[in-house]
Amino acid sequence: MRASKPAAAREPATQAALAIDRLDVRYGRARAVQQASLLLERGTLAIVGRNGMGKTSLCNAVTGMVPSSGSIRLFGEEIRGLPPHRIARRGVAYVPQGRRVWRSLTVDEHLRLAHRFRRGEWTPDGIYELFPRLKQRRHNGGTQLSGGEQQMLAIGRALLLDPSLLLMDEPTEGLAPIIVEQLAATLRSLAARTEMAILLVEQNLRFAVDVADSVAVMVNGCVVRTMPAAALAADRALQQQLMGVHAQGVGS
Amino acid sequence: MKWPRHRDRAILAATPLVVVAAWACHHDTRLFVAATLNGVTLAALYFLVASGFALIFGLMRNVNLAHGSLYLLGAYVGYTVGDQTGSWYLGVVAGALGAAVLGVVLQVSVFRFMPGQELRQALVTVAISVVLADLMMWVWGADIYQLDPPEWMYGSSVLPIVQHYPTYRLILLVLAVAVGGGLWLLLNRTRIGMMIRAGVDDRMMLAATGVNMQFVFAVTFAIGAGLAGFAGVIGGSALSISPGEDTRYLLASLIVVVVGGLGSVAGTAVGALLIGLSEQYGLAYAPTYGVLFTFLIMVATLFYRPQGIFGGR
Ligand SMILES: Nc1ncnc2c1ncn2[C@@H]1O[C@H](COP(=O)(O)OP(=O)(O)OP(=O)(O)O)[C@@H](O)[C@H]1O
Ligand SMILES: [Mg+2]
């Protein structure tokens, strides 16, 4: 490695992909995230929790879209307080809740727009290979797509940033079961074939356990515990307790 | 579906207009055609000014009530540079650039600090436009100026029915069409246009995709303000430059945008056409009540389609 590359000298392998320490997010006087701490070394970490527990607020804080206090370190470097575009250029990509594709841009324009700031392994053609469905719809506008297609587009848009950390907020929301299965397979293969760490917010426990290595539980803006995905999969009582009426049993 | 109902309504609204136009045409063809031409060319000028206003508001939701000052500043700068160098073309470029620079300064030093606060933006920019008006009065005085366009734009062209029509006003029309087409290309065929459209839809996601929104804002403001300055020089060559023009063109832009709807080049064009035509028809057929027509159109639009004729949201 060349001496001019400090990241290599700092041995990134020892640094956690994402380390959140005592993070607070406030909306006016309401606190959505309170003293949340979280560690994602490598691989895939799922965050589960009921509605309104602050999962989206946490993601928005990591991407710089809402102000926060505390500490957010990306491979050891503090990113809290940076504007969203700087965070994105450092390798954090976001697949937000509700997809948020741009209604007046075509599929192709989405991909070309995203493919500028960090040119890496991914290209629009690579995305079309990953999601052949998108290629058929490349000239369609963002809102002419089905929910599943919008999700593919949001993921494609994020991958083109060549992220070292991918944030996904409830990617299965509103998708048909068959599409959810395909998505799980896609995410697993992405996690296996790239270096990318994934933070996955999910209310679908089965999907979370299926895709993630470990699972963090969020209650009232706080991360209360983290456990291996297999442990949660085996503990039915815990699942019930965590998700209450939203529980979706995880088959044996 | 929705389309036939729209069509019915459009036909319903258009029928009396067509009847009146046919009568006017029969009554005095020459007057009617002349008024139409005047209306369309005035609309061209309104379009040039208002498109910048619509662009800025469409992306940033910035209420820039100093837009008229950008027009007037462009006109004065264009006049001075044109006068000093003897080149009208240089005047046009200087006027557009001067206004664009002031626009960027406004964005970076004022609007950046009050995102989403429309009322505050409106008040602050009114104050700025008052200050600018005084400053311009101080520099250029209260005299009335007119720029001289190049030789070949002078004189009149021969047209059917009206026989002679000022060439410069036809050029104005061509310029407006060119600017409209250019804007459309900019928005739909370029990278910055893609960013502007994505920013209108969801600007936070655009930032989270690595785009520096402050940069996109500054570029958009430069384009919008540059268009106002450009319109100032063009309009100052067709008509005249004097204190007070700033509020006149700000008002025209506001009305055009209210009627046409924000966010589309086509909406601005239609709004400009309606207002330009109604002003000139009013002048030709009912000079006393001329202004009334404009406001009738505005009130009717606000009543039936508050988002404007082409307004999407
Ligand atoms: N923009 C906002 N302004 C004010 N309060 C907000 C805002 N966004 C979220 N909240 C509040 O913050 C709390 C956490 O919301 P958040 O969206 O982070 O929860 P979540 O865990 O993502 O929920 P869900 O599972 O429904 O998506 C909620 O009580 C919510 O009402
Ligand atoms: Mg959420």
Side-chain angles (χ1 to χ4, degrees):
Chain A
M1 283 274 134
R2 281 173 299 158
S4 62
K5 228 178 173 187
R10 221 175 282 148
E11 292 176 70
T14 61
Q15 300 279 9
L18 179 69
I20 297 177
D21 194 31
R22 277 168 293 170
L23 186 75
D24 272 331
V25 175
R26 291 190 189 82
Y27 300 107
R29 292 173 63 193
R31 290 173 95 189
V33 176
Q34 314 192 25
Q35 300 286 300
S37 298
L38 188 76
L39 194 67
L40 165 56
E41 300 269 1
R42 285 292 182 280
T44 305
L45 171 70
I47 299 182
V48 300
R50 292 190 223 169
N51 291 110
M53 288 302 168
K55 308 182 295 295
T56 299
S57 303
L58 182 99
C59 293
N60 286 346
V62 173
T63 52
M65 289 160 83
V66 297
S68 58
S69 55
S71 157
I72 305 171
R73 270 170 298 142
L74 179 74
F75 294 99
E77 287 182 34
E78 186 67 46
I79 56 168
R80 196 199 58 77
L82 292 180
H85 70 275
R86 294 230 169 279
I87 295 177
R89 289 179 193 186
R90 286 189 181 207
V92 178
Y94 193 21
V95 179
Q97 188 167 16
R99 282 61 105 164
R100 293 174 72 170
V101 299
W102 296 300
R103 40 183 277 166
S104 50
L105 266 63
T106 65
V107 168
D108 209 46
E109 286 175 327
H110 274 86
L111 300 186
R112 276 189 287 135
L113 184 51
H115 186 229
R116 177 60 171 247
F117 298 98
R118 280 168 63 95
R119 291 244 163 116
E121 176 194 358
W122 288 100
T123 61
D125 282 334
I127 301 298
Y128 287 138
E129 232 165 80
L130 182 67
F131 301 118
R133 185 79 196 128
L134 283 184
K135 184 153 193 173
Q136 293 166 16
R137 318 225 56 187
R138 60 190 298 168
H139 297 301
N140 286 81
T143 47
Q144 294 171 309
L145 305 178
S146 73
E149 289 161 351
Q150 286 188 10
Q151 192 65 59
M152 294 174 201
L153 182 55
I155 294 173
R157 172 176 69 183
L159 288 179
L160 282 170
L161 291 179
D162 199 35
S164 45
L165 171 68
L166 178 66
L167 267 67
M168 303 183 87
D169 193 357
E170 308 213 16
T172 66
E173 202 178 30
L175 298 189
I178 174 85
I179 309 285
V180 172
E181 305 237 320
Q182 287 170 8
L183 189 61
T186 307
L187 289 188
R188 274 196 309 263
S189 80
L190 276 178
R193 93 177 213 223
T194 62
E195 295 277 274
M196 178 173 76
I198 301 178
L199 185 69
L200 171 75
V201 169
E202 197 40 84
Q203 294 215 35
N204 181 338
L205 278 188
R206 179 202 289 268
F207 184 82
V209 164
D210 211 15
V211 173
D213 308 313
S214 48
V215 177
V217 181
M218 224 173 149
V219 176
N220 287 332
C222 206
V223 178
V224 291
R225 61 189 292 186
T226 307
M227 70 202 95
L232 181 61
D235 193 339
R236 219 171 168 121
L238 181 61
Q239 293 168 24
Q240 294 281 341
Q241 182 199 332
L242 291 180
M243 303 311 279
V245 288
H246 293 288
Q248 257 181 298
V250 179
S252 54
Chain B
M1 305 282 248
K2 257 184 152 180
W3 161 241
R5 265 191 57 210
H6 272 284
R7 196 176 47 183
D8 286 352
R9 237 197 246 171
I11 290 175
L12 207 68
T15 313
L17 289 181
V18 170
V19 171
V20 169
W23 172 82
C25 197
H26 175 76
H27 175 75
D28 185 344
T29 314
R30 195 157 159 201
L31 177 66
F32 179 72
V33 173
T36 308
L37 275 172
N38 283 341
V40 171
T41 49
L42 182 63
L45 185 55
Y46 285 168
F47 173 79
L48 288 178
V49 195
S51 56
F53 185 86
L55 188 68
I56 289 171
F57 187 86
L59 172 64
M60 300 177 267
R61 304 276 131 187
N62 277 348
V63 183
N64 178 22
L65 296 185
H67 195 71
S69 314
L70 294 170
Y71 172 94
L72 191 55
L73 180 81
Y76 279 134
V77 169
Y79 171 81
T80 304
V81 171
D83 197 42
Q84 299 290 318
T85 62
S87 163
W88 181 79
Y89 300 102
L90 274 183
V92 172
V93 171
L97 274 182
V101 168
L102 179 60
V104 172
V105 170
L106 274 179
Q107 165 61 28
V108 172
S109 64
V110 178
F111 285 108
R112 185 154 64 102
F113 299 104
M114 41 189 87
Q117 304 171 333
E118 277 97 353
L119 185 61
R120 179 173 289 185
Q121 292 170 355
L123 292 175
V124 167
T125 49
V126 164
I128 289 175
S129 70
V130 171
V131 172
L132 283 176
D134 275 351
L135 286 177
M136 288 191 275
M137 177 85 96
W138 178 52
V139 176
W140 283 282
D143 300 337
I144 297 176
Y145 299 93
Q146 188 170 18
L147 270 103
D148 296 327
E151 207 64 50
W152 65 274
M153 295 184 190
Y154 268 126
S156 51
S157 302
V158 180
L159 289 184
I161 303 168
V162 280
Q163 273 121 38
H164 295 288
Y165 197 76
T167 309
Y168 186 77
R169 298 207 107 199
L170 296 176
I171 289 172
L172 188 58
L173 186 58
V174 172
L175 280 177
V177 171
V179 164
L183 262 183
W184 189 88
L185 284 178
L186 176 90
L187 286 174
N188 290 289
R189 291 282 179 277
T190 68
R191 195 174 169 79
I192 186 81
M194 211 150 78
M195 288 179 188
I196 291 175
R197 277 182 296 139
V200 170
D201 293 342
D202 189 334
R203 83 165 70 140
M204 263 305 179
M205 265 328 284
L206 187 61
T209 312
V211 177
N212 183 354
M213 285 312 291
Q214 288 308 327
F215 171 74
V216 181
F217 285 172
V219 170
T220 311
F221 223 114
I223 297 170
L227 278 173
F230 178 73
V233 188
I234 302 296
S237 313
L239 308 160
S240 60
I241 316 166
S242 61
E245 297 284 284
D246 47 355
T247 37
R248 180 172 161 216
Y249 284 96
L250 171 66
L251 203 62
S253 303
L254 285 172
I255 297 173
V256 162
V257 157
V258 165
V259 170
L262 279 157
S264 78
V265 180
T268 314
V270 167
L273 262 181
L274 272 175
I275 301 306
L277 282 172
S278 83
E279 255 184 47
Q280 290 300 320
Y281 286 146
L283 212 60
Y285 292 101
T288 331
Y289 307 106
V291 202
L292 218 62
F293 292 126
T294 306
F295 285 97
L296 277 180
I297 291 178
M298 197 165 93
V299 169
T301 320
L302 284 176
F303 191 76
Y304 289 107
R305 256 186 98 73
Q307 73 274 43
I309 294 171
F310 273 63
R313 273 149 283 174

